[in-house]
Amino acid sequence: MRELIIDRFEETYVVCQTPDGKLDAFPRKRLPENAREGSWLVIHDDGTVEVDEEKTLRRQAINMYRLKNILKRRKDD
Amino acid sequence: MAKRKNKKVNPSLPRWVVSVFVAIALVLSVLTFGGDLAGMDTSFLQSCMDAIDRLLYGGPTSPAPSLPASGQAKVYIIDVGQGESILITTEERSMLIDAGENDKGDEVLAFLDTLGLDSLDYALATHPDSDHIGGLDTVLESIEVGEVFFGEIPAKLTPTTKTYEDVLDVIEEKDIPLSLAHAGDIIDMGSGAQLTILGPIDPQQATSKNNASLVSRLDFGETSFLFNGDQEAPMEKMLLENGVDLDCDMMTMGHHGSSTSSTPEYLEAVSPDYASISCGRGNKYGHPHDETIENLEELGVEYYRTDLSGNITFTSDGKTISVRTEKP
């Protein structure tokens, strides 16, 4: 089992990153329907792919909060 | 700061062609040396050697890129392979728009180094895809940047990649001022030039980060440049429907020349004389797409591709635009 994060969609490909930032791309048709940009994917040993919704939402919330804080600090200066 | 790489022989040339021209160049250099000693005019021989240099090494077609002279503004389309990076300079200010993939930060820095730029006034990230912001952390880490601009991204598209987090890390660590840019914002580029954010009109309508791309135009004197990021047809349509002034002399082709962008209606509204396509040689996405090239050719637009021409420099004197490419 391994994890990949969806960076973007390019034509028939989904472009992903490993958690340490390495690029990986594979055909879009292998993705489950609920996959979107930002999704954390779990690639099982048998090749099936599923979205880790809980981790996706948690990471998105963390990054939204970080961005808001950076912007707020700027406003407060 | 990273240094320029040594010149490499154009990989598209067969070896025998390279050998023949190297042999000719050797003969020419001996003749030129002898001619110089004998006091003969060797300018023709030197021109021939320059031509061979261009053929073998892919350039330069004119002297190395330089900062704008008095009364000029320059737009450099930096060759970062499959990705995009654009530098705008006037005599007073500089702005980097995007910085290519994760491994391209050093190449962007090398380009800035060639120009003698060791700081930037602004860096603008059109959208947080790795082929646009990948090298940005390296740039922000290595040189002083006065202010960074992001576009607004719908919450459901918030990036979770290491690439995005690396950029946030360096902004936080170096306490670089960060702002969200919106349609209607104007950034003063000095020397009478201004960059106006045109889109996205409504970023919350974006269903992909591409369509949340910041779209901007640079006006300098009577000349104008349009930077489209990776926006696609739906956002182009929104700009058209809102009556935004898109008419520009030069445009970057949206999304690396993909057929998902630059619709005929949009191209007609921009009616550019020049266009650039940022794409990598032999990329797996087929960029630029045939439809895009056909549309450009139908409209008689003079277009340049980074995969073929390397770095591309557009120079404006406020009235006209001239183009220089790294490779012939």
Side-chain angles (χ1 to χ4, degrees):
Chain A
M1 187 200 93
R2 64 192 180 110
E3 286 182 310
L4 286 175
I5 304 117
I6 298 182
D7 178 55
R8 65 188 189 275
F9 296 99
E10 292 281 6
E11 316 305 334
T12 56
Y13 288 89
V14 53
V15 182
C16 299
Q17 279 188 9
T18 58
D20 62 353
K22 292 193 178 64
L23 275 182
D24 198 344
F26 59 86
R28 224 164 153 156
K29 61 185 176 196
R30 284 182 54 200
L31 281 181
E33 269 184 23
N34 59 338
R36 61 184 190 276
E37 290 179 353
S39 289
W40 275 66
L41 304 175
V42 179
I43 319 292
H44 294 286
D45 295 339
D46 64 1
T48 55
V49 182
E50 67 175 329
V51 176
D52 184 337
E53 286 287 4
E54 191 269 327
K55 194 162 188 175
T56 302
L57 291 174
R58 182 156 42 90
R59 297 298 296 233
Q60 285 190 317
I62 290 169
N63 286 346
M64 268 171 56
Y65 181 75
R66 278 189 77 186
L67 180 63
K68 272 188 183 159
N69 262 350
I70 295 172
L71 293 168
K72 185 174 179 297
R73 274 205 299 275
R74 173 86 200 276
K75 252 186 189 168
D76 293 344
D77 284 344
Chain B
M1 187 178 290
K3 298 291 175 200
R4 288 183 83 184
K5 287 184 178 170
N6 290 331
K7 287 208 292 188
K8 285 181 183 164
V9 172
N10 184 346
S12 65
L13 290 174
R15 276 193 169 187
W16 69 268
V17 172
V18 174
S19 305
V20 167
F21 278 103
V22 166
I24 294 172
L26 275 173
V27 173
L28 287 173
S29 63
V30 171
L31 289 174
T32 307
F33 180 69
D36 284 340
L37 283 180
M40 292 162 63
D41 179 6
T42 58
S43 57
F44 176 71
L45 296 175
Q46 281 168 357
S47 304
C48 291
M49 285 200 292
D50 287 346
I52 291 173
D53 188 60
R54 283 199 294 275
L55 186 73
L56 292 184
Y57 300 108
T61 56
S62 64
S66 57
L67 289 172
S70 177
Q72 287 183 338
K74 291 194 180 190
V75 172
Y76 313 83
I77 312 298
I78 306 172
D79 178 15
V80 288
Q82 185 61 21
E84 189 158 68
S85 184
I86 299 161
L87 176 70
I88 302 170
T89 56
T90 67
E91 268 192 287
E92 295 172 32
R93 304 245 166 103
S94 56
M95 173 187 277
L96 183 71
I97 300 180
D98 296 336
E101 261 296 353
N102 285 309
D103 57 349
K104 299 298 180 184
D106 282 336
E107 290 180 28
V108 173
L109 286 169
F111 187 83
L112 300 180
D113 194 28
T114 305
L115 294 173
L117 270 183
D118 56 8
S119 65
L120 291 165
D121 293 289
Y122 310 113
L124 182 148
T126 58
H127 65 297
D129 279 353
S130 73
D131 55 337
H132 288 255
I133 62 156
L136 192 56
D137 58 333
T138 306
V139 173
L140 295 178
E141 259 164 26
S142 307
I143 61 172
E144 291 308 310
V145 177
E147 186 168 4
V148 177
F149 297 98
F150 279 7
E152 190 180 317
I153 299 283
K156 64 178 186 295
L157 296 175
T158 300
T160 57
T161 56
K162 183 172 185 297
T163 295
Y164 181 68
E165 291 168 4
D166 285 347
V167 175
L168 293 185
D169 284 348
V170 67
I171 287 172
E172 279 189 313
E173 279 160 19
K174 289 186 73 175
D175 201 18
I176 304 170
L178 173 72
S179 305
L180 290 187
H182 293 96
D185 289 351
I186 292 173
I187 299 165
D188 182 5
M189 289 298 299
S191 308
Q194 62 177 37
L195 187 100
T196 308
I197 307 295
L198 304 181
I201 300 277
D202 182 0
Q204 293 303 324
Q205 298 281 324
T207 53
S208 65
K209 296 196 295 302
N210 280 349
N211 276 323
S213 286
L214 286 173
V215 176
S216 57
R217 66 176 288 157
L218 174 74
D219 285 282
F220 178 68
E222 296 166 20
T223 60
S224 47
F225 300 79
L226 180 66
F227 308 108
N228 284 295
D230 276 0
Q231 77 160 342
E232 297 173 315
M235 295 322 238
E236 292 178 352
K237 194 175 173 204
M238 214 180 277
L239 288 170
L240 290 169
E241 286 173 351
N242 279 271
V244 173
D245 180 10
L246 296 164
D247 188 4
C248 283
D249 302 307
M250 181 271 173
M251 73 182 271
T252 62
M253 299 303 284
H255 197 196
H256 318 281
S258 169
S259 58
T260 56
S261 305
S262 311
T263 60
E265 296 78 18
Y266 192 73
L267 265 182
E268 205 171 299
V270 181
S271 62
D273 295 324
Y274 302 98
S276 68
I277 304 171
S278 297
C279 59
R281 189 183 287 264
N283 66 81
K284 65 165 76 166
Y285 317 121
H287 297 154
H289 290 155
D290 292 343
E291 300 93 306
T292 305
I293 298 298
E294 282 162 19
N295 290 338
L296 283 171
E297 288 182 348
E298 203 166 295
L299 285 174
V301 180
E302 193 174 315
Y303 65 92
Y304 296 87
R305 301 165 49 161
T306 56
D307 60 337
L308 302 179
S309 297
N311 301 315
I312 304 157
T313 307
F314 294 91
T315 302
S316 165
D317 61 5
K319 286 188 175 165
T320 57
I321 293 172
S322 60
V323 189
R324 173 206 175 272
T325 60
E326 181 192 9
K327 298 174 188 175

